Structures are given as structure tokens and as C-alpha cells.
Amino acid sequence: MVSVTHLLLRPGRMSIMIGAVALLAVGMSPMALSQDQSTTIAKDAIFARKILMDTINTNMDELEAMTTSDKGVDLTEGREHADLISVMLMAFPHLFPATTNQWKPDVERDPGRDTYASPDLFTNYADFYARAAAAAKTAYRASRAQQDGDFKTYVAELRVACDSCHGLYLKSDQ
């Protein structure tokens, strides 16, 4: 088991921590303080998880580009992307407080502040949490892989984990 202190002190964590602090600072702006705080906090959590998911997706795109390239896998770079995904997936479920259960069908949504999280996520939160933890462990295993074949296997497993969770807990406007 890796300690939280070790995770936060590894290279690359500083930018994630700075981003989190910046999000908290934005959430405490004078405009936000004059609004209903419960609504503001929920919208900030939705925005934060969208940013985090976008960053996970960007790193996942890099992993998949590496594993499908004719050039082969750069394990050093690939392990760093996988490591970042692992850490982000450990934090991700904590950005789904009950107050962010705000999905409504057939309404106009602000893509940055409105949720696409299915209400099923909140009624099956333990499953969602377990899926995020399992995906984080798969990403962690990829970050420690010593052979291209093992790395590619873990990246493929991570894609399946992401897609299955999205299939269950992500709504769309379609």
C-alpha cells in the first residue's frame, strides 16, 4: 500500500495540488460567497470533477496512442501517465457529494457547471466507488509494469474499466 504522503510528494503531484488549491480559491470568490453556498459548492464540485475527468482522459489518450503505435511503448513516459491516472482516480469519487445529484432529462445544460452523472451513481455509490478504486489499482499496476506486454494489458484493462463505469453512470443528451 502506498501512503498518501508518498503520493503527494512524487513528481507531477505539485501541479495537481496547485490546480486543486486554485479551484478552492475560485470557489471562495466574493461572487460565490454572495450566492447560495450549497448551490455554488455543488456547481464547483461538478466543475472540478469535469476538469479532473478531462485530465484523466488526456492521459488515457496518451497511453492508448503509445500502446497502438508502431513505434513501441516508451515505458518511462507511459508509467508516468498511468501513475497520474491512478492518483486522480483515487480522488475522483470524492467529487460526487449527494448535493451534486442534479441530473434532469430534457433541459438545457451548461456543459461546464451542469452534471451528466446519472442519478444511479448516487443510489449505487458503493459500486461507483469500488469501480474507481479498482481502476486506480489497474492504472497503478500499469505505472509499475516492466514489460511492454504487461503495460499494454493494463492499459487495455483500464479502458474497459473506464468504459464500463461510463456505461453505467454517465448520462448524455442523446
Side-chain angles (χ1 to χ4, degrees), residues 7-27:
L7 290 172
L8 293 175
L9 296 178
R10 289 190 309 205
R13 300 298 175 271
M14 188 56 67
S15 61
I16 292 171
M17 291 183 345
I18 290 170
V21 170
L23 281 173
L24 289 173
V26 168

Side-chain angles (χ1 to χ4, degrees), residues 63-148:
L63 291 178
E64 291 177 321
M66 279 182 209
T67 58
T68 59
S69 171
D70 294 336
K71 298 177 186 175
V73 175
D74 177 346
L75 277 177
T76 301
E77 182 180 349
R79 286 191 297 250
E80 181 62 26
H81 286 292
D83 190 53
L84 289 169
I85 290 171
S86 174
V87 172
M88 289 184 280
L89 283 171
M90 285 189 286
F92 191 62
H94 301 284
L95 294 174
F96 288 84
T99 57
T100 66
N101 183 5
Q102 300 179 359
W103 170 260
K104 293 176 184 71
D106 304 319
V107 298
E108 190 173 327
R109 268 177 273 291
D110 174 347
R113 295 282 182 178
D114 290 326
T115 190
Y116 286 86
S118 169
D120 295 338
L121 180 149
F122 299 93
T123 57
N124 300 317
Y125 186 79
D127 177 66
F128 171 68
Y129 192 94
R131 286 173 179 274
K137 288 178 185 177
T138 300
Y140 181 78
R141 285 193 290 275
S143 77
R144 298 300 181 256
Q146 297 297 313
Q147 305 294 322
D148 286 9

Side-chain angles (χ1 to χ4, degrees), residues 51-65:
I51 291 170
L52 192 60
M53 180 53 67
D54 185 60
T55 305
I56 291 168
N57 188 54
T58 298
N59 280 276
M60 193 67 198
D61 287 347
E62 291 292 325
L63 291 178
E64 291 177 321

